[in-house]
Amino acid sequence: MTYSSTQTITPFSSNTALALGFSGTLGNIDAYISAVNRLPMLTHEQEMDLAKQLRENNDLNAAQQLVMSHLRLVVSIARGYLGYGLPHADLIQEGNIGLMKAVKRFDPDQGVRLVSYAMHWIKAEMHEYILKNWRLVKVATTKAQRKLFFNLRSHKEGLDSMSQAQIESLAKKLDVKREEVIEMEMRLSGRDIAMDSQSDDEDDKFAPIAYLKTEVDEPTHVIEAQRYDKLQSEGLETALSKLDARSRHIIESRWLQNDDGSGATLHELASEYGVSAERIRQIESAALKKMKSALAAYA
């Protein structure tokens, strides 16, 4: 797909563009990309300082600087979606909306750079735009299928159908059934179909946008999930390593042997160590306090 250099983009009004530091004409996509690539990038310290000014004082000038310094990120991400035949300028404009949403919600105390946080919001807006314009019926009803939709084209070699080996490889990589890969390839290769349901039956109605941005995929939830995973793996092992052999054995026997939490009883462990059940309870209580202290660093 070839894109015209005269394609226009207007993420800001002309007055706003000048105020943000753009000079010259921004009448076409090439001029816009050239302009944003010349904008200076922020250091980590500058970014954190501006984010705190925005959060604490609602400083719009700080928000402006944060947005400006990340416009090149939007351009870079938009290039990855050119294969869908949609205007480059429109993709960038949708991404800019996602970037501004990210800046508004960014919390500098989370310990991540804005670039990592903003990518989720930028891609979400672009995905919404793509799905609205592709108008495919039931194009992606699960997270795995959405991932398949946005990765299939990059795994195809030319316009030919995928080989069985390619289908098997992609299905394994994205954790979907091979039948789903085949079906999605057929949809992407076929004609456009109305995305809006023509049925009055609520069970048959489908709007892909309803599945695009879910609470689970919202950036703050993604960060929370990552921290929880780290807490369960690295954090738990670190906490257990702080215990003596007997305390660790008691905790593992009581709470970590079975997924359903049905571990050894106090009396069973008391019999094993030749002490009272009350003594086992005391050791367990002390061990849990020690582990809680060790896990504080991962909270």
Side-chain angles (χ1 to χ4, degrees), residues 127-135 139 149 195 208 212:
H127 287 183
E128 179 177 343
Y129 169 71
I130 291 169
L131 287 183
K132 279 184 176 179
N133 286 274
W134 265 72
R135 303 181 63 80
V139 68
F149 174 74
M195 185 174 72
L212 183 63

Side-chain angles (χ1 to χ4, degrees), residues 2-19:
T2 303
Y3 294 88
S4 171
S5 62
T6 61
Q7 193 174 26
T8 60
I9 179 168
T10 55
F12 311 100
S13 68
S14 58
N15 290 336
T16 305
L18 292 174

Side-chain angles (χ1 to χ4, degrees), residues 30-51:
D30 291 336
Y32 174 83
I33 293 175
S34 177
V36 300
N37 284 335
R38 291 196 302 270
L39 294 172
M41 298 179 69
L42 300 174
T43 64
H44 187 200
E45 291 73 19
Q46 290 173 327
E47 181 181 294
M48 293 298 102
D49 183 54
L50 289 169

Side-chain angles (χ1 to χ4, degrees), residues 134-145:
W134 265 72
R135 303 181 63 80
L136 295 173
V137 173
K138 294 185 179 180
V139 68
T141 58
T142 68
K143 183 177 180 179
Q145 288 175 334

Side-chain angles (χ1 to χ4, degrees), residues 186-246:
M186 291 176 63
R187 289 176 182 165
L188 294 179
S189 300
R191 62 182 178 82
D192 286 351
I193 304 173
M195 185 174 72
D196 300 327
S197 173
Q198 303 300 312
S199 172
D200 293 329
D201 188 342
E202 291 296 328
D203 292 335
D204 291 337
K205 285 187 176 180
F206 174 85
I209 191 57
Y211 295 86
L212 183 63
K213 291 195 297 185
T214 65
E215 184 176 324
V216 174
D217 294 324
E218 199 271 333
T220 55
H221 286 277
V222 172
I223 294 172
E224 288 177 3
Q226 291 173 343
R227 287 188 171 182
Y228 182 72
D229 290 341
K230 188 174 183 180
L231 179 66
Q232 283 194 315
S233 55
E234 180 182 331
L236 182 58
E237 181 57 38
T238 299
L240 287 171
S241 69
K242 303 295 184 182
L243 304 178
D244 58 76
R246 182 175 63 173

Side-chain angles (χ1 to χ4, degrees), residues 33 36-37 70-81 88 92 122 126:
I33 293 175
V36 300
N37 284 335
H70 288 79
L71 289 177
R72 68 181 69 199
L73 172 65
V74 177
V75 171
S76 176
I77 293 174
R79 290 196 189 99
Y81 296 105
H88 193 186
I92 291 175
I122 294 169
M126 291 184 185

